[in-house]
Amino acid sequence: MQRAVAPPYPELRRTRHLRTRPRPVYCPIGADRQDPAVADDALAGRFTCAGSTLATGVPPDWQRAGLADDEEWHIEWSKFYYGLDLAHAFETTGDRRYLNTWVTLVSSWIDQRRPDADTSDVTARRLQNWLYAWQILDRAPGFPGLHPLFERRLLTSITDQLAHVRHTLSPERNHRTLELYALLVLPLGLPSLDPDGSGTAWAWAALQQNLLADVWADGVHRERSTHYHLIALRSFLAARVNARRFGLIVPDAYDVRLRAACRFGMHLHRPDGQIPALSDSDSGSHLDLLLLAADSFDDPALRYVATYGREGTAPTERCVEFPVAGYQVQRSGWGDRGEAFGDERFLVLGCGPLGDGGHGHYDALSVEAYAHGHPLVVDPGRYTYAEGSPNWRHWFKGTAAHNTVTVDGLDQQPYRRGKPKGPQLACRLLAREGTDGLHLLRGEVRSPAYDAVHRREVLFVDDAYWLVLDTLRAPGPHDYELRWHLAPGPGLTVDHGAAASRTRTASVTVETAGGQRAVVEEGWVSVLYGVR
């Protein structure tokens, strides 16, 4: 049974005052945060974060609630995404329990936590979500306004937290992106925070510089994570929408680099609309983001992919190279060549440097492949940033968790939870050739951990299937293991012949030539953080 949450300010229902009304900023996540179940759970003090549901009560203990062995639960909880679900529930039902719960949660956080209690990136995300929820509440029929005392405390807290973000701004990469976005969008929505507009102008200029620094010329984010690429792209696109909405100038250089980032986002989506979870990444679909990009640039190719071919025009490129990041994509088509959109063939090969920072996995020359409506071989994703026993962070990041070759059971890069130290692996593309019915990729990786050199050739034949040839050379003997991480599915069988082993599931057949016998071992896939 859900208990009613009493309003923390009893005068809320009868007080009239000249209230602050947020200006309507564009919210890129609004459509994803309209879940009645999430709102009802929040009424009962239940919150699902990082794959785990905990009952904290309302008001909760913001100091100690969470998972002792993984700080990511508390980090996600503190970002207040569920506030948008509560605001939407109030807007659609008029039930003041949702409004009162949001006010209680925000008020209790202000009571219990210092403005600098969290890192700048967590603080920035919380402030965005407070603003988004507030503007949803403000437009809701029957919204009485916030109590003057709570409104003053809220604005004071937002001001103090924004100062914390400014003073501890991350120097680079995706944390800086979302922090600068908060420094832009909060004063756009609440002009009293920046009366002369100087802070807004600085944040917008700094965000432009951040885009040019973090997104390479080929359009790929420097961390080489498919997930973080799209998270950063969402902030860059939303910033452009809000800049234009409020009369800020969008330079041509910003649009050129942003279009390149959108192009990569388009090509990395599989035919089922999901993304491969490369490096520190979740899977999932970001077609809504492609649709936002299509609307922003009036791009028919982006619109075509975002709508599964229902609108727009099919992209002209099928086999695409992103030379700085080293990602290579092979695709049979876009549903425009006699095959259904979702049945096309798709493969991505990683043939580039480690992702900048600590997000890069040790997956050089790994592939993910999809065909006929099913993923065939998959990247495992990230699962967790926490280390423990067993060390799942190491397993998901390590070479053995990817569709490539391990040497003597070692990782291609000596393991560290975060960014690497010392010499790094070197991976490069050696050849990229195409003729009628054939498309060849050849790459090479050299590791600081061993002297063997691994070369891989991927041959896409008749837009139908792949031949993969791995060659390893070294001055002395080594143990080599080639792993293919099959997508989860029933009916796994292994047949051993004199010339090859054949491994089958309902959706994939892998034939391994040579005298070695294929064996099956347990593996893991994490589609969402904290869930394996």
Side-chain angles (χ1 to χ4, degrees), residues 476-488:
H478 293 280
D479 289 328
Y480 302 122
E481 293 179 318
L482 167 62
R483 287 180 172 84
W484 296 109
H485 295 266
L486 307 182

Side-chain angles (χ1 to χ4, degrees), residues 397-417:
K397 195 172 185 178
T399 302
H402 298 88
N403 299 306
T404 187
V405 176
T406 58
V407 178
D408 297 331
L410 299 173
D411 291 320
Q412 296 166 336
Q413 180 73 31
Y415 170 75
R416 293 191 79 247
R417 177 177 179 267

Side-chain angles (χ1 to χ4, degrees), residues 79 118-128 132 161-187 199-200 202-204 206-207 210 214 223 231-232 235-236 239:
K79 293 177 181 178
D118 294 307
T119 58
S120 50
D121 61 301
V122 176
T123 306
R125 194 65 85 194
R126 175 171 55 250
L127 292 176
Q128 293 171 43
Y132 293 153
Q161 290 183 68
L162 279 176
H164 167 56
V165 174
R166 282 193 296 269
H167 295 153
T168 59
L169 194 65
S170 297
E172 56 186 356
R173 298 198 302 274
N174 75 79
H175 284 185
R176 182 177 179 87
T177 302
L178 66 91
E179 292 159 15
L180 289 172
Y181 178 73
L183 293 175
L184 172 70
V185 77
L186 263 295
T200 304
W202 179 88
W204 178 224
L207 195 60
N210 175 245
D214 279 11
E223 292 174 346
I231 294 301
S235 291
F236 289 130

Side-chain angles (χ1 to χ4, degrees), residues 4-28:
V5 178
Y9 301 92
E11 308 93 326
L12 182 66
R13 299 186 182 185
R14 59 178 182 270
T15 300
R16 292 182 177 273
H17 67 286
L18 186 62
R19 69 178 190 259
T20 298
R21 303 198 66 180
R23 295 196 298 182
V25 299
Y26 172 72
C27 172

